[in-house]
Amino acid sequence: MVVPTYNEVGNLDELVQRIQQSCLSSGIDAEVVIVDDNSPDGTGARAEELAKDHDVKVVHRAGKLGLSSAVLEGFAAASSDVLAVMDADLSHPPEKIPEMFSKIQSGEAEIVFGSRYVPGGSVEDWPFHRKLISKGATLFARGLTKVKDPMSGFFMLKRSVLDGEKLDPIGFKIGLEILVKGKYSKVVEVPIHFANRKSGKSKLGTGEYLKYLDHAIQLYEHKRFWLSKYLKFSFIGGIGAIINIAVLWFLVEATGVYYLTAAVASFVVAATSNFVFNRIWTFRSKSEIKSQYARFLVVSVDGLFLNLILLKQLEEGLMPAIGITSDKASLFLIVSQLIAIFIVSIFNFVANSFWTYSADIKSRSKKA
Ligand code: GDD
Ligand code: MN
């Protein structure tokens, strides 16, 4: 049982006592690993006291280094094959440990989450804004895991789940990180009642919400590698379209350049901006830039021709075939162009991924 602590001196005795009682009554041989970040309130010293006559191990760290890294250090210090994490403030009921453990022992699951959001689970009279934030954060993680309460800080797992994966301890959500990167096939949730903390104050500040967003986005990139790349690519493409129109307008209106010349110039400017942002953001490329830029321009020009061909096919082939009348023609043109843009974006994306930025894709997919 890994318990990260920062200023939890008022909760420690009851916590250790309840964990041990719960484990004793069900024959579980448990060790409590307290990972304390040099709490000013003397949690570390109190933990050492408890270690004298309980099955408690204490890891002392130099200062407040964060919850997730504390959990990972606790895993390293523990010697068991089954690991668990819980908060020190008695929000998580130690009485649920036997039920969670039995799921792992019976082979029903390799990870068990104590969940507030499955039938039977609950939270204690939370104010509306806390419920909203919690639900919003949980919703944002929907695409990452099917677990209903992946933000729960109360979970248990087989050590083998962690084999071979490098975990990034950013922010509070080490459980979510494990759900996304861990090696397992079965996960179950056990309902818990999340009680208000017994003593002391919460350490989850507003900064943690931003860290969570950053963390969740990185996990999406890890899990949905191609989708996240395509979305970034399309987003940059959308900005490129705005740049294209803005430059075109500027050249024609402010400098009086011939409009077709202006169109070519604005196309090159937009393609260049697309190239730079995709290099930095979408593909995080460090490869040689000149040939990459040339390839990107070739793909962009091909994409432009593909766009024209598709548009012509839709306008001259499809429109009469499905009998669009002339009063709907301008609407049909816009729909056709949107369809063409979508197809061209996929063409450009695939061509750039496997040609322009192929070296970067290869090295990144290997890591993922
Ligand atoms: N070692 C260490 N270092 N421990 C820390 C640190 C740190 O920097 N920050 C927090 N902790 C410990 C606390 O002492 C407590 O035991 C546990 O981590 C959770 O901290 P709380 O301050 O009680 O967090 P919370 O109640 O706001 O958040 C809990 O509920 C959330 C769901 O609403 C946590 O369980 C979150 O993981 C969970 O998402
Ligand atoms: Mn808490």
Side-chain angles (χ1 to χ4, degrees), residues 20 59-60 129 138 141 175 200 207 209 215-216 221-222 234 242 280 304 312 349-350 353:
Q20 296 215 307
V59 177
H60 297 279
H129 74 274
T138 307
Y209 300 130
H215 186 198
E221 283 195 46
H222 178 91
S234 306
I242 296 170
I280 296 169
L304 180 63
K312 189 168 149 66
F349 178 67
V350 171
S353 296

Side-chain angles (χ1 to χ4, degrees), residues 113-311:
F113 264 66
S115 174
R116 298 162 287 179
Y117 301 136
V118 293
S122 55
V123 296
E124 196 164 326
D125 52 40
W126 274 8
F128 179 71
H129 74 274
R130 188 168 179 190
K131 273 190 194 145
L132 195 72
I133 290 169
S134 176
K135 283 281 183 188
T138 307
L139 210 62
F140 193 67
R142 264 299 161 77
L144 293 170
T145 170
K146 58 179 195 305
V147 169
K148 295 281 187 307
D149 191 5
M151 311 302 160
S152 170
F154 189 21
F155 54 91
M156 195 180 279
L157 61 144
K158 287 174 105 162
R159 194 186 278 277
S160 59
V161 170
L162 305 173
D163 279 353
E165 263 308 335
K166 209 193 138 292
L167 300 175
D168 287 321
I170 29 175
F172 252 51
K173 306 305 173 194
I174 191 70
L176 182 63
E177 173 97 11
I178 291 171
L179 280 174
V180 173
K181 296 187 177 170
K183 268 204 205 111
Y184 61 94
S185 53
K186 288 166 287 179
V187 51
V188 296
E189 288 178 89
V190 163
I192 61 158
H193 173 70
F194 188 95
N196 288 334
R197 63 160 50 243
K198 281 267 164 120
S199 144
K201 283 202 299 267
S202 169
K203 285 94 207 172
L204 208 161
T206 14
E208 295 297 336
Y209 300 130
L210 287 178
K211 274 196 210 153
Y212 164 67
L213 274 186
D214 181 41
H215 186 198
I217 289 171
Q218 284 189 43
L219 289 176
Y220 272 105
E221 283 195 46
H222 178 91
K223 195 179 157 101
R224 304 250 186 270
F225 183 77
W226 287 110
L227 180 65
S228 67
K229 290 260 171 296
Y230 175 69
L231 290 178
K232 283 179 163 184
F233 186 83
S234 306
F235 179 75
I236 290 169
I239 302 220
I242 296 170
I243 291 176
N244 192 327
I245 290 166
V247 173
L248 179 69
W249 182 85
F250 174 80
L251 289 178
V252 172
E253 293 296 313
T255 68
V257 174
Y258 177 52
Y259 78 99
L260 287 181
T261 317
V264 172
S266 57
F267 178 81
V268 172
V269 171
T272 303
S273 117
N274 288 353
F275 168 69
V276 171
F277 288 124
N278 277 311
R279 181 179 159 90
I280 296 169
W281 192 45
T282 314
F283 297 99
R284 295 181 209 277
S285 176
K286 300 252 166 358
S287 330
E288 202 260 332
I289 192 164
K290 265 191 232 149
S291 62
Q292 211 175 45
Y293 181 47
R295 287 179 175 197
F296 193 88
L297 286 182
V298 169
V299 172
S300 302
V301 172
D302 286 350
L304 180 63
F305 279 110
L306 179 62
N307 189 345
L308 297 179
I309 292 166
L310 286 169
L311 203 58

Side-chain angles (χ1 to χ4, degrees), residues 310-321 332 336:
L310 286 169
L311 203 58
K312 189 168 149 66
Q313 290 300 323
L314 290 167
E315 283 293 302
E316 289 172 20
L318 190 63
M319 188 164 69
F332 188 79
S336 301

Side-chain angles (χ1 to χ4, degrees), residues 61-83:
R61 305 203 302 170
K64 196 170 184 307
L65 298 172
L67 175 57
S68 291
S69 66
V71 169
L72 294 182
E73 283 201 36
F75 286 166
S79 50
S80 53
D81 285 332
V82 177
L83 302 162

